[in-house]
Amino acid sequence: MKPQKLSWVTTPLLIMFILQLLGLAVLPFLAPLVNSIANTAATDPTSGITADQLGLLRVFTGATLWVSFIIAAAWAAFTFLTYRAMGQGRGWARVAAIVIAILGLLNFPIGTILGVLILIGAFDPDVQRFASR
């Protein structure tokens, strides 16, 4: 039988996963925004940006966005796998949920609230027993 406070862990994990998916959906729209800002700076004679600097800016911006996308997608997958495994009572999922919660504490204010809820649920004795079977 699943413990009552298990939902204190699984529900915030699911909310974190959905928020990460929303963040991944917004990420591709940052490239055109950065390009328009760079083009505006390039056409401004007082900015002092050369064509070489503008090209370098576009390369680094594109690379940064791709790396961010890959890391965010991997983190979202890890969060979802932790959510599913926690519902099944896997021991490693409780530890992973605690790690996700601690890192979520840095994401003020929503991540902080979700992280505190996960920590309360993960340290509940019934949830500990459920996850150690």
Side-chain angles (χ1 to χ4, degrees), residues 43-128:
T43 57
D44 183 14
T46 61
S47 69
I49 294 178
T50 65
D52 291 338
Q53 290 172 334
L54 184 62
L56 196 59
L57 173 71
R58 286 190 174 132
V59 167
F60 280 120
T61 301
T64 302
L65 288 175
W66 275 109
V67 169
S68 298
F69 181 81
I70 291 168
I71 291 171
W75 188 254
F78 177 66
T79 303
F80 183 73
L81 290 174
T82 303
Y83 159 75
R84 295 230 7 218
M86 194 66 206
Q88 297 170 354
R90 312 273 174 151
W92 66 267
R94 182 179 162 274
V95 175
I98 292 170
V99 170
I100 291 170
I102 290 171
L103 292 174
L105 292 174
L106 301 173
N107 192 7
F108 185 79
I110 295 172
T112 304
I113 295 167
L114 296 174
V116 167
L117 291 174
I118 292 172
L119 289 173
I120 290 171
F123 286 107
D124 182 64
D126 292 336
V127 174
Q128 289 179 356

Side-chain angles (χ1 to χ4, degrees), residues 34-47:
V34 171
N35 269 339
S36 78
I37 292 170
N39 288 337
T40 303
T43 57
D44 183 14
T46 61
S47 69

